[in-house]
Amino acid sequence: MPTDTFFHLPPEKQKRILNAAKKEFSRLPLKDASIANIIKDAEIPRGSFYQYFENKEDLYYYYFHTLKKNSQRDLLKSIQHENGDLFAGFEWYFSRMIAEVFKGKNANFYRNLFMSMDYRSFHKVVPEMQHKMHQEHKADRQKQQTIFLSEVDKDLLKVKDDHELKMLIQLLMHTVFSTIAEAYRQSAFDPDYDPAEAIADFNSKVRWLREGAKKERGETYD
């Protein structure tokens, strides 16, 4: 998370730094990205960089979370589109997210992110319903979370309270990101890979969560 110093910068300068981050992290995965290139494009001294961020990883995940804000908005709209049905909302959301991730304006960044993803980075990018954040944004985050939870029709779910609802949403978000990561791994070996396959896989996982994967012995399943 950036320091207070970064958040006190003029918006234009913050944007310049984030644009430089996008350029470098879209060109190379995190481990190969260069702080030197970022500060050159952002037109800031190296010393200033370390006043704003602990290291390049700190900037990398902050840049990702700026993209995630739009994703959170899209998820809310998806839930609303499906009249509060959490599972249907996630299916709607994923079908649109996969197109952005594979072919949208940030596709190169996402490709580097998911192709180099390991256990540690996975848990860095999977959204948490509760996580450490800059105090300045905490109230806004809590307000957005309250709005989101209120849009979910809890009468359609076997959840006792908001704590269990958050757990279920977290499980679904893990499913979103793990499915995208697997889709990128498959696309690396198959140049004809169709992202529609990822949508079908995701919908199968959601169906298991919604209906259960167990059947009685001898029962047929189509």
Side-chain angles (χ1 to χ4, degrees), residues 41-56:
D41 285 333
E43 300 177 350
I44 60 172
R46 180 175 285 269
S48 294
F49 177 89
Y50 290 105
Q51 290 179 354
Y52 309 146
F53 299 94
E54 183 177 346
N55 48 39
K56 68 177 180 181

Side-chain angles (χ1 to χ4, degrees), residues 16 19-21 23-24 36-44:
R16 196 167 72 236
N19 285 341
K23 180 179 178 181
E24 183 65 6
N37 289 337
I38 293 171
I39 62 176
K40 179 180 178 181
D41 285 333
E43 300 177 350
I44 60 172

Side-chain angles (χ1 to χ4, degrees), residues 185-204:
R185 283 193 290 270
Q186 291 187 41
S187 69
F189 295 102
D190 180 3
D192 297 321
Y193 178 79
D194 185 350
E197 294 181 35
I199 296 174
D201 289 347
F202 180 78
N203 289 346
S204 292

